[in-house]
Amino acid sequence: MTYFSTNRQTRDVPLKDVIVKGLAPDGGLFMPECIEPFSPDFFDSMYGMGLQEIAFRVALHFFGKDIPASDLEKMTYDTLNFPIPLVHLHDRLYVLELFHGPTMAFKDVGARFMARLLGYLTEREDREVNVLVATSGDTGSAVANGFFKVPGIRVFVLYPKGLVSPIQEKQFTTLGENITALEINGTFDDCQRMAKQAFADEALNERLKLTSANSINWARLLPQSFYYFWGVAQMGKKADHIVCAVPSGNFGNICSGLIAKRLGLPIHRFIAATNINDIVPGYLADGKFQPRPSVATIANAMDVGNPSNFARILELYDRSHKAVCADVDGFVCSDDDIRTTIREIFNHRKYLLDPHGAVGYKALDNYLGKHPDNCGFFIETAHPAKFTEVVEAATGTKIPLPEKLARFAAGTKQTEELPATFDALKEFLMNRHT
Ligand SMILES: *Cc1c(COP(=O)(O)O)cnc(C)c1O
């Protein structure tokens, strides 16, 4: 299978280049040349399969012409070595818990798969591959842990000094081995700018093999479609008119769901649920896509003013507003709504939501209230203990630190501190490798 760019200036790109380059040379995002639906046979048998088997079948559907089935099977089974349970909350409403991975956020799925795929595709090269990733928190921890000890790959995590939460910082600064944390004296925007400049710098790219692991990489996007199949399989064959609510920021997660639907997965509708950074719900309402600077909220992993994967969604629907609206609804949640939802669901349902999941819950509950024939699930994108301050304030209860996070908290922070300039980063990277 080959890939093209959403900016349409690049075509027929093979899988290896798509994964190693991340972004197309024309600045667009890579999309597969064709998305062929599964045969009805697949859906007949899907309900009897487990998560890893389903994931393998979906991976094979996309990558089977490029990678031998046995290698792909190992990659998918390794990636998904933790459960993704569907939990019934009340009435026709369910939650798909994506926080049982090593860093307790859904980004573990994409990051773990990308690490294995990139390692596999570059295995025969004599040069080490250097992954640069800028983070404001969750991405850095998922990527660092996903790539931890993968042979032939070194990861540099750029993060703003003092601006990520202590527990998030521990998740990518305590690993050591092939993970180097770069503590930048600046903001997240500085980190992102420095990484972008590095990818564009000729001298640096001549010296080092550089690649990006942010969410625009197809290797992080496609594996996210696995768990939509698994969610529907757990809803059971009899479930009808399934609606799926996805808390969204850069729109990678929901884009993976829409790809699953295009493969024939019976999801009736998606709800794009955002905090007050409501660029996409705005587009759904009036057809105008108007990016603007993001506003800080308590669901901060979704504070995005120009959602990068929106270009892929438009491509999927031939840029037709009408076609997008036929599959996707929008929903917007204020910080007050988020706090109230966390409190009410904890008090009445004994279920603890994180601020992002609360946006998904509210979107779905609202939708199901108006559509008595529908049922559905929302994606819980992170464990509530990752956002203790907000969740403890909303519920008035102390949240114990799960074992997985406590282990990171006990580790020793190791970082290299750098000024927020590209020259400083370049000098650091060049000298490391002489
Ligand atoms: C990254 C993230 C999101 C947003 O996902 P997108 O794919 O960018 O839409 C939502 N919740 C949490 C906890 C996240 O880390």
Side-chain angles (χ1 to χ4, degrees):
M1 170 117 69
T2 58
Y3 294 76
F4 69 99
S5 159
T6 53
N7 282 352
R8 312 264 178 131
Q9 302 304 306
T10 314
R11 293 212 91 94
D12 294 326
V13 182
L15 180 65
K16 182 173 172 182
D17 291 352
V18 166
I19 306 308
V20 175
K21 294 205 171 91
L23 200 65
D26 64 8
L29 307 192
F30 286 117
M31 284 288 276
E33 295 277 1
C34 75
I35 299 179
E36 187 80 34
F38 274 107
S39 71
D41 293 358
F42 172 76
F43 292 106
D44 284 341
S45 54
M46 177 184 86
Y47 294 90
M49 295 180 192
L51 165 63
Q52 288 167 314
E53 189 179 358
I54 289 181
F56 169 51
R57 294 287 297 269
V58 178
L60 196 63
H61 193 74
F62 275 94
F63 301 134
K65 290 211 170 72
D66 300 295
I67 300 172
S70 56
D71 294 328
L72 213 43
E73 184 170 22
K74 181 161 174 20
M75 271 182 244
T76 42
Y77 275 63
D78 272 4
T79 299
L80 294 164
N81 65 351
F82 52 88
I84 303 179
L86 183 84
V87 175
H88 181 229
L89 282 192
H90 58 83
D91 307 301
R92 295 160 280 129
L93 192 151
Y94 297 76
V95 49
L96 188 64
E97 294 184 347
L98 269 145
F99 55 72
H100 297 280
T103 75
M104 310 199 96
F106 84 96
K107 289 188 176 74
D108 281 329
V109 175
R112 287 172 68 78
F113 187 81
M114 179 181 172
R116 280 151 189 78
L117 183 56
L118 185 64
Y120 177 85
L121 292 172
T122 58
E123 191 167 57
R124 277 179 207 87
E125 308 211 346
D126 43 10
R127 284 202 303 171
E128 191 177 48
V129 178
N130 295 276
V131 172
L132 279 192
V133 63
T135 186
S136 55
D138 262 1
T139 302
S141 47
V143 167
N145 283 275
F147 283 79
F148 186 49
K149 293 186 181 172
V150 174
I153 299 183
R154 172 150 289 279
V155 177
F156 298 93
V157 181
L158 284 76
Y159 76 102
K161 183 181 167 72
L163 297 179
V164 306
S165 79
I167 185 66
Q168 281 179 327
E169 184 180 39
K170 287 274 191 170
Q171 287 181 301
F172 53 80
T173 59
T174 58
L175 294 165
E177 303 252 358
N178 63 329
I179 311 297
T180 305
L182 300 177
E183 195 171 8
I184 308 298
N185 275 297
T187 62
F188 169 64
D189 289 335
D190 291 325
C191 297
Q192 204 157 26
R193 173 181 49 77
M194 289 161 72
K196 271 193 188 147
Q197 275 177 282
F199 297 126
D201 188 87
E202 269 182 42
L204 200 52
N205 283 272
E206 227 163 76
R207 175 74 68 83
L208 303 177
K209 210 173 168 68
L210 281 185
T211 187
S212 158
N214 62 13
S215 75
I216 51 161
N217 198 305
W218 178 247
R220 278 190 55 191
L221 200 85
L222 194 270
Q224 295 175 167
S225 67
F226 303 162
Y227 51 72
Y228 288 90
F229 286 85
W230 175 234
V232 170
Q234 289 181 93
M235 290 289 288
K237 219 170 195 163
K238 292 205 189 79
D240 197 17
H241 282 86
I242 298 173
V243 178
C244 183
V246 188
S248 297
N250 261 322
F251 280 72
N253 196 355
I254 195 170
C255 182
S256 309
L258 293 170
I259 289 169
K261 181 167 165 66
R262 186 60 59 88
L263 291 170
L265 186 69
I267 291 183
H268 174 61
R269 277 187 90 68
F270 279 86
I271 309 173
T274 68
N275 56 30
I276 54 165
N277 294 288
D278 60 351
I279 318 299
V280 174
Y283 163 82
L284 293 166
D286 64 12
K288 295 194 188 90
F289 182 69
Q290 293 172 311
R292 54 172 195 267
S294 67
V295 179
T297 75
I298 56 172
N300 59 12
M302 306 184 341
D303 293 348
V304 179
N306 188 1
S308 51
N309 277 293
F310 186 69
R312 282 198 169 109
I313 295 177
L314 277 184
E315 193 60 56
L316 205 53
Y317 291 93
D318 274 334
R319 291 156 211 274
S320 157
H321 176 248
K322 196 166 156 232
V324 178
C325 291
D327 280 0
V328 189
D329 257 36
F331 186 83
V332 187
C333 211
S334 70
D335 277 3
D336 278 344
D337 290 338
I338 294 173
R339 288 191 196 94
T340 311
T341 302
I342 294 174
R343 181 167 50 245
E344 285 181 354
I345 302 314
F346 180 69
N347 288 340
H348 300 143
R349 310 282 179 194
K350 298 283 166 265
Y351 191 83
L352 203 53
L353 291 162
D354 101 292
H356 309 82
V359 174
Y361 171 87
K362 181 134 176 97
L364 182 59
D365 190 47
N366 173 70
Y367 189 92
L368 293 180
K370 293 182 201 153
H371 299 84
D373 296 337
N374 292 188
C375 59
F377 60 90
F378 67 97
I379 310 269
E380 176 47 294
T381 49
H383 191 284
K386 295 197 91 171
F387 302 91
T388 37
E389 262 174 51
V390 177
V391 177
E392 287 181 353
T395 57
T397 325
K398 188 107 186 97
I399 301 165
L401 196 62
E403 162 66 26
K404 265 182 207 152
L405 298 183
R407 233 181 297 144
F408 287 114
T412 310
K413 173 176 155 183
Q414 314 164 46
T415 62
E416 296 280 349
E417 210 171 315
L418 291 179
T421 66
F422 169 63
D423 287 344
L425 175 66
K426 182 170 174 177
E427 197 190 313
F428 175 83
L429 292 173
M430 287 290 221
N431 290 335
R432 257 199 97 257
H433 285 263
T434 45

